Amino acid sequence: MAIGKNKRLTKSKKGGKKKQLDPFLTKEWYQLKAPSVFDVKDFGKTLITKTKGQKIASVGLMGRSFEVSLADLNKDEEMGYRKIKLIVEDVQGFNCLTNFHGMDMTRDKLCSLIKKWQSIIEASVDVRTTDGYLVRLFCIAFTKKMPNQLKKACYATMAQQKAIRAKMMQVMSEEGGKCDLKELVKKLLPEVMGQDIEKQCQGIFPVKDCFIRKVKVLKKPKFDLLKLMEMHGDNGEDVGANVAPIVEEVKVAGAGGRY
C-alpha cells in the first residue's frame, strides 16, 4: 500500500462516542405546596427539565399528580391508612401549588376489615359541590352482631342491605352537596361522614367500620386563581403585618412623684 494514500488511518473513527453529560445538570427542583387543610405545607419536591426553547418547565409541571400519606400531611401516624392525591394547578416561581384530587385507602387496612360471618355493604354516589366540582364518593360498611347475640354469623338480608345502601347515598349526597371542596375535605379527613352513617343505620341493622373508602374528582370548574389561593390560606387580601398589642401605663396613686 502506498504511503499517504489512505488518509483515514490517522484520524479517529467517524461518529465516535459523544461525551456523556450528567442528566441532572439539565434538571431543576420545584417545591410542592399542600392546601391549608393539611398541617404540613411543604410535602416534597419534584424534578423537571429546565426551560429550553419552546419547552417550558412550568407547563410540564401542570397536571402532575402526587399520592401522599395522610400520616405525613397531618403528622398523625394513626391516619397512615389514608392516601391523599394532590394535583399541580399553578406554578409560582419554584413553588407548585396543589389542589385536592382524590382519596384512597391502603390495601392492608381494607384487608384487615374484611372478615368471615359478616356482610359487606358498599355504595357510591356522584356529588356536585357548591363551587362546581363533580366528586364520586365510595362508601363501605360491615354488619356487626346484635348486643348479647349468640349466633356466630351476622348477615343482613338483601332488603336490609338495600335500605342501608340508600341511607349511605342519602347522607353522602346531603353532606357533599351543601359545601365547597375545601369544606368537603375537612369532613372527609376526620371520618365524620362514616360515623353519621353508622348512627343512621342502627335502626335498620347494626353496622361497624363505616368509611368513605375512596374519593374521585371527576370534573372541575374553570381554573380560578383566587379559589386556589383560598385553598392555600391566602385569599389575596392585604391584611397588613402583625402589630404588638399596646400596653397602657398604670399610674400608682400616692407615690409622692417617685414614679
Side-chain angles (χ1 to χ4, degrees), residues 195-211:
Q195 291 165 11
D196 193 22
I197 292 166
E198 274 184 37
K199 284 178 189 174
Q200 294 200 30
C201 290
Q202 290 303 314
I204 304 163
F205 199 98
V207 292
K208 61 174 183 177
D209 298 329
C210 186
F211 294 100

Side-chain angles (χ1 to χ4, degrees), residues 38 66-73 79-86 100-110 189 191 212-216:
F38 304 107
F66 304 91
E67 201 171 65
V68 196
S69 173
L70 188 58
D72 296 331
L73 287 172
M79 300 303 288
Y81 63 89
R82 276 276 180 231
K83 294 186 289 183
I84 305 294
K85 196 177 268 189
L86 300 168
F100 180 79
H101 191 57
M103 189 175 76
D104 206 351
M105 192 182 273
T106 56
R107 185 177 168 81
D108 60 316
K109 174 69 175 179
L110 205 58
L189 297 182
E191 307 292 352
I212 302 298
R213 178 178 64 83
K214 194 175 187 179
V215 179
K216 281 183 183 177

Side-chain angles (χ1 to χ4, degrees), residues 146-203:
M146 298 272 193
N148 306 318
Q149 183 179 324
L150 299 174
K151 193 179 175 183
K152 193 176 185 180
C154 54
Y155 298 121
T157 63
M158 291 305 292
Q160 287 169 331
Q161 287 185 33
K162 194 175 179 180
I164 290 168
R165 212 172 282 119
K167 189 65 74 176
M168 282 177 174
M169 291 168 76
Q170 182 194 331
V171 172
M172 287 191 290
S173 297
E174 285 176 2
E175 292 293 325
K178 65 183 180 184
C179 60
D180 59 4
L181 187 69
K182 190 175 181 179
E183 290 298 318
L184 182 63
V185 175
K186 284 181 180 177
K187 285 180 184 179
L188 291 169
L189 297 182
E191 307 292 352
V192 174
M193 225 179 278
Q195 291 165 11
D196 193 22
I197 292 166
E198 274 184 37
K199 284 178 189 174
Q200 294 200 30
C201 290
Q202 290 303 314

Side-chain angles (χ1 to χ4, degrees), residues 249-259:
E249 293 182 1
V250 181
K251 291 183 180 179
V252 181
R258 290 195 298 275
Y259 296 100

